[in-house]
Amino acid sequence: MGADRVFAYGAAAGLLGDLLLGDPRRGHPVAVFGRAAGAVERVLWRDHRGWGALHTAVCAGGAVALGAVAQRVVRPSTAASVALTAAATWAVVGGTSLAREARVIGRALEAGDVEAARARLPHLCGRDPQALDADGIARAVVESVAENTSDAVVGALVWGAVGGVPGLVGFRAVNTLDAMVGHRSARYRRYGWASARLDDVAGWPGARLTAVLAAVAGSDTTGAVRAWRADAVKHPSPNAGPVEASFAGALGVRLGGTLSYGGRVEHRPVLNGEGRSVETGDIERAVRLSRRVGWLALGVSAATALLRGRIDRPQRSRVDQAQRSRVDHAQRSRSAVQRPGGSS
């Protein structure tokens, strides 16, 4: 079985595993990577971009190398290759945990327990919960569901289709590093620069695919496309902008506006200004849209891998045939030399 089918079967099994099992309570591979990256940071940290770039290279490069070695070890066995791809997919996607956390907050808001919702919000995003009322919390949840659909599901599948297991784990490593050091605090403004920029590059294709699929899977395709085209460029993040704008249009709600991170107030542009304010019920609608986008992304990624395999297969066949021809020619030449009367 070719690498294209290995990815298609393994990714489907891994996404199904995430749906059925969710994330482990202890010993999650991403958490293990985070602890390792933290240990590297304690050794390398300097208030300098170069040291931060080294930190990014060591951590992300190490994850990619580990994935490549594991993929090479199991390559002789189709079953083992599919199992490794499934395990890697399950480890790096987080759609079920995303939905679970969003729904916990949504149920608290429905029960009128704003304090419980505020206490739970940091599990989903880094905003200051005390500065938010019920509608503000609901808006923060919908925006986080949109952005994390790209970061926690679609982006990983895209890079898995391109690079197999190394692509899966490499994308998650880059995304985790950005969450750890890629923000604009005094400690990480320089040190985290490389991680933040690499995350922007790695997240670019997944964010655009997420925006497209949200428009396709949402209840208002025209509104999603209109909001994406009109408002995405206003967002300070090159990847969150298209995703959040498309989700806003697809759901018919208005996202963006004033928010607070770590005591720092930011005035974000309004996305889909024609929409209504976010309500508690929109959390469940956003979760369902996120689910549909995730499964559509699996289909697109698997189809891309299969198509790439069909395109590459004839080329590999020609290369193999040329190599066999060279080997046969070399063997005939050696035989001619070894036969009696052959030239020396």
Side-chain angles (χ1 to χ4, degrees):
M1 183 185 296
D4 50 348
R5 293 186 180 181
V6 166
F7 171 76
Y9 296 153
L15 202 60
L16 183 61
D18 176 66
L19 177 64
L20 297 176
L21 303 175
D23 292 331
R25 298 296 182 183
R26 297 180 179 178
H28 195 292
V30 176
V32 173
F33 170 82
R35 288 193 292 271
V40 174
E41 179 189 341
R42 287 191 291 274
V43 174
L44 294 181
W45 188 90
R46 307 287 190 282
D47 189 18
H48 191 276
R49 284 186 176 184
W51 286 95
L54 178 61
H55 174 252
T56 303
V58 168
C59 296
V64 171
L66 183 62
V69 169
Q71 183 171 270
R72 186 177 184 85
V73 168
V74 302
R75 185 174 296 167
S77 170
T78 297
S81 296
V82 172
L84 176 65
T85 303
T89 302
W90 168 78
V92 303
V93 301
T96 295
S97 293
L98 174 64
R100 182 192 302 123
E101 293 296 337
R103 283 169 169 158
V104 167
I105 298 171
R107 286 193 294 269
L109 292 176
E110 289 171 356
D113 193 347
V114 177
E115 286 303 319
R118 286 185 178 128
R120 196 70 186 185
L121 187 62
H123 291 258
L124 191 64
C125 65
R127 299 187 190 179
D128 296 333
Q130 298 305 318
L132 300 173
D133 58 10
D135 289 344
I137 294 172
R139 193 194 86 195
V141 172
V142 171
E143 290 173 353
S144 295
V145 168
E147 184 175 1
N148 283 293
T149 300
S150 176
D151 289 342
V153 182
V154 180
L157 292 173
V158 167
W159 282 102
V162 172
V165 172
L168 286 166
V169 299
F171 176 80
R172 175 54 60 222
V174 169
N175 193 249
T176 303
L177 288 172
D178 178 60
M180 294 178 66
V181 304
H183 34 88
R184 297 177 181 177
S185 66
R187 177 178 175 85
Y188 294 121
R189 184 172 289 108
R190 294 185 181 87
Y191 188 82
W193 178 85
S195 291
R197 297 292 78 75
L198 182 59
D199 183 68
D200 287 344
V201 172
W204 195 95
R208 273 70 193 170
L209 178 59
T210 303
V212 169
L213 296 180
V216 171
S219 58
D220 187 353
T221 299
T222 302
V225 174
R226 182 176 60 247
W228 178 8
R229 293 181 62 184
D231 300 329
V233 295
K234 303 174 185 177
H235 199 286
S237 168
N239 294 330
V243 173
E244 291 184 20
S246 186
F247 262 70
L251 295 170
V253 299
R254 185 170 62 251
L255 300 178
T258 302
L259 50 84
S260 176
Y261 283 103
R264 185 182 71 254
V265 176
E266 294 185 14
H267 300 283
R268 296 280 179 86
V270 173
L271 307 176
N272 192 38
E274 299 177 1
R276 58 174 174 79
S277 298
V278 177
E279 302 170 353
T280 299
D282 294 316
I283 292 176
E284 180 62 28
R285 295 178 63 225
V287 168
R288 292 179 180 177
L289 177 57
S290 174
R291 285 289 195 197
R292 294 194 295 271
V293 168
W295 286 106
L296 286 173
L298 172 65
V300 172
S301 300
T304 300
L306 292 170
L307 179 61
R308 184 166 55 85
R310 293 189 64 178
I311 294 173
D312 291 346
R313 201 168 291 122
Q315 183 176 358
R316 290 197 301 269
S317 179
R318 288 192 294 271
V319 172
D320 292 342
Q321 185 176 2
Q323 290 176 340
R324 286 194 297 269
S325 297
R326 286 195 295 270
V327 170
D328 291 343
H329 178 73
Q331 290 176 341
R332 287 194 297 269
S333 298
R334 286 195 296 270
S335 297
V337 171
Q338 292 170 357
R339 282 198 301 269
S343 60
S344 58

